[in-house]
Amino acid sequence: MLKALKSNQDKIAIIDKGKEHSYQHLIDRINLYKSLIKDELSNGDIVALRAIYSFESIAMFIALYLNKNIVALLPDSPNLDEYLQSSNANKLIEIKSQINIKSLNPPKHDKIKELNNQSGLIIFSSGTLNKPKAIIHNLDNMVKNFADKRANSLRIILFLLFDHIGGINTLLSGLLSGSTLIIASDFSPKNICYLISKYKAHILPTTPSFLNLLLMTKEYENYDLSSLRLITYGTERMDENILIRLKNIFKKVKFIQTFGTSESGILPTTSKSSISTYFKLKPDEYKIKDGRLFLKSKTMFLGYMNLDSDNQWFDSGDLVKQDGDGFLKIIGRSKEIINVGGKKLLASEVESCILELDEIKDALVYALPCEILGQMVACDVVCDLAKSNAKELIKSHCKARLERYKIPVKINIVDEITFTNRFKKDRKLR
């Protein structure tokens, strides 16, 4: 890590709140933090750190990695105590005007023994009954995965959050290749377009939901985005209709689908094309069973801190289909199957059908309870049409393309589709 950073010492590493920080400045701050924590933290301590991107938090993250600690990245959430408890952290670091290190007293956990005195990473994903799952990774292994990263001078927007596996992937990949990372504190389309224009950013790693929001707001018309070369998208299914709309706007930009989970890490992918949602994984890193995608990667998690697990093959929960050339396509999530009187359908199939209509800007399909059939299909749509016209158009279009039980019974015209704090469609059960 330090060798890679030193090889780029004169380049700009991070732009935070308009201030440029060189790689040498980053190294100096890392060394300062290492000296501050060396007498306070022991190798193998689980250290909780608020996962909000800043020059200081990135430097502390690397200092903890070099100190062979296990870093628990706490989401920016009001339920801080819940995440702390799930992580089993015995130290909490707060970065304010000075560094504060607080001692905690959790029960000891056997899972950290698997790290064999290597550094670790704990991130969180949603679990059953809304209890967060604390996922532990070998951080040394994740860093080594980028050891042969070719040096470049790319400028990358840090869009995916610090506590997200995609955000960690962007951070490590960028720093180990000598890129410049641009921290976004405001994730509105207007601000992201402003940052791309101001700093001539080359790469935007983001989500399908954000990209569709960008289309709807048309903020791209107000800024010079000609520096943009690559947009990567992941974390949720991309609808091909949206992808084609994006490519028609950003004709010179390459679109690549990324894929991974909090448990498997980000897997190397090859997109079929910039207008295709089909992608390839390495043959030894996946298998398909009953249409469900199972993963096994070099950056596989060690397990959960607060749950039992079998980390041999991880059930991603994604439903896929595969073409004759071995390319995969995510067609939905197993938890998003709607059961109408015993007949099952995927919400994504109905969404794709609705989004074929140019008049529809966005759509969210979900199940509602039905006394007779158990569940019925409902949808929220964003459009500029009058309600009666929109409903008639959607029903007519769906009747011509879908079986009767798949046609939405309830259609709501809404101003916007709700997103989670990770810029994914909020698909919580209605």
Side-chain angles (χ1 to χ4, degrees), residues 240-292:
E240 206 156 283
N241 299 291
I242 301 299
L243 184 58
I244 291 170
R245 292 179 195 178
L246 287 162
K247 189 59 180 174
N248 286 335
I249 298 294
F250 300 98
K251 297 183 185 297
K252 295 183 179 181
V253 176
K254 186 175 183 179
F255 287 82
I256 292 180
Q257 182 167 194
T258 58
F259 183 76
T261 68
S262 298
E263 286 84 357
S264 67
I266 304 300
L267 285 69
T269 61
T270 303
S271 289
K272 196 166 190 177
S273 75
S274 277
I275 56 171
S276 173
T277 53
Y278 279 91
F279 63 96
K280 268 187 178 178
L281 295 173
K282 291 182 178 180
D284 60 343
E285 292 192 332
Y286 78 95
K287 68 179 181 180
I288 302 170
K289 184 178 180 182
D290 298 326
R292 294 169 72 106

Side-chain angles (χ1 to χ4, degrees), residues 5 19 58 71 227 238 244 253 258 271 311 333 348 378 405:
L5 300 182
K19 186 175 180 180
I58 292 172
V71 189
S227 63
M238 167 70 88
I244 291 170
V253 176
T258 58
S271 289
N311 61 349
R333 299 275 296 164
S348 56
Y405 70 95

Side-chain angles (χ1 to χ4, degrees), residues 1-9 11 23 27 143 146-149 151 172-179:
M1 171 68 81
L2 281 179
K3 182 180 178 182
L5 300 182
K6 287 176 181 177
S7 67
N8 296 294
Q9 59 186 6
K11 295 168 67 175
Y23 273 88
I27 293 167
V143 171
F146 297 103
D148 298 325
K149 192 77 175 174
L172 294 178
S173 174
L175 290 178
L176 289 169
S177 63
S179 299

Side-chain angles (χ1 to χ4, degrees), residues 71-335:
V71 189
L73 291 174
L74 303 178
D76 187 18
S77 166
N79 302 320
L80 184 63
D81 289 341
E82 187 176 31
Y83 287 101
L84 274 174
Q85 184 178 0
S86 296
S87 72
N88 276 75
N90 61 313
K91 300 285 184 178
L92 171 64
I93 288 185
E94 295 179 316
I95 304 174
K96 296 182 179 178
S97 56
Q98 60 183 14
I99 304 300
N100 297 320
I101 302 176
K102 181 180 179 181
S103 294
L104 308 171
N105 296 297
K108 290 194 175 181
H109 202 289
D110 290 338
K111 184 58 66 176
I112 63 172
K113 293 179 181 177
E114 297 182 29
L115 285 167
N116 294 319
N117 295 317
Q118 298 184 86
S119 58
L121 171 70
I122 295 174
I123 54 177
F124 301 88
S125 69
S126 59
T128 56
L129 301 176
N130 294 320
K131 185 178 180 180
K133 294 185 291 186
I135 302 160
I136 183 165
H137 283 272
N138 183 319
L139 187 51
D140 276 312
N141 188 38
M142 295 179 76
V143 171
K144 287 175 185 176
N145 201 42
F146 297 103
D148 298 325
K149 192 77 175 174
R150 187 171 60 182
N152 61 58
S153 298
L154 296 172
R155 294 190 166 213
I156 306 169
I157 301 291
L158 273 179
F159 182 94
L160 300 174
L161 300 183
F162 199 172
D163 63 305
H164 186 279
I165 192 67
I168 292 293
N169 190 73
T170 303
L171 176 67
L172 294 178
S173 174
L175 290 178
L176 289 169
S177 63
S179 299
T180 297
L181 301 175
I182 303 161
I183 294 176
S185 55
D186 173 358
F187 298 96
S188 66
K190 180 178 181 179
N191 189 57
I192 296 301
C193 288
Y194 166 77
L195 292 175
I196 294 170
S197 176
K198 179 176 176 62
Y199 297 111
K200 307 300 179 188
H202 304 111
I203 300 176
L204 173 62
T206 186
T207 69
S209 287
F210 174 82
L211 290 171
N212 195 32
L213 186 61
L214 180 61
L215 286 178
M216 290 190 286
T217 60
K218 296 187 178 181
E219 285 291 348
Y220 55 84
E221 295 179 350
N222 301 324
Y223 297 89
D224 178 9
L225 306 185
S226 59
S227 63
L228 201 57
R229 303 179 193 172
L230 174 66
I231 293 175
T232 63
Y233 59 90
T235 78
E236 61 180 344
R237 188 187 68 88
M238 167 70 88
D239 189 273
E240 206 156 283
N241 299 291
I242 301 299
L243 184 58
I244 291 170
R245 292 179 195 178
L246 287 162
K247 189 59 180 174
N248 286 335
I249 298 294
F250 300 98
K251 297 183 185 297
K252 295 183 179 181
V253 176
K254 186 175 183 179
F255 287 82
I256 292 180
Q257 182 167 194
T258 58
F259 183 76
T261 68
S262 298
E263 286 84 357
S264 67
I266 304 300
L267 285 69
T269 61
T270 303
S271 289
K272 196 166 190 177
S273 75
S274 277
I275 56 171
S276 173
T277 53
Y278 279 91
F279 63 96
K280 268 187 178 178
L281 295 173
K282 291 182 178 180
D284 60 343
E285 292 192 332
Y286 78 95
K287 68 179 181 180
I288 302 170
K289 184 178 180 182
D290 298 326
R292 294 169 72 106
L293 184 62
F294 290 77
L295 304 170
K296 189 176 184 180
S297 68
K298 293 179 181 178
T299 53
M300 203 71 173
F301 76 133
L302 299 177
Y304 299 109
M305 294 295 289
N306 53 346
L307 288 170
D308 293 330
S309 64
D310 174 10
N311 61 349
Q312 294 302 305
W313 282 98
F314 176 69
D315 182 358
S316 70
D318 289 310
L319 303 176
V320 298
K321 64 180 181 179
Q322 190 170 30
D323 70 7
D325 297 319
F327 285 88
L328 305 173
K329 181 176 183 176
I330 306 296
I331 59 174
R333 299 275 296 164
S334 57
K335 64 182 179 182

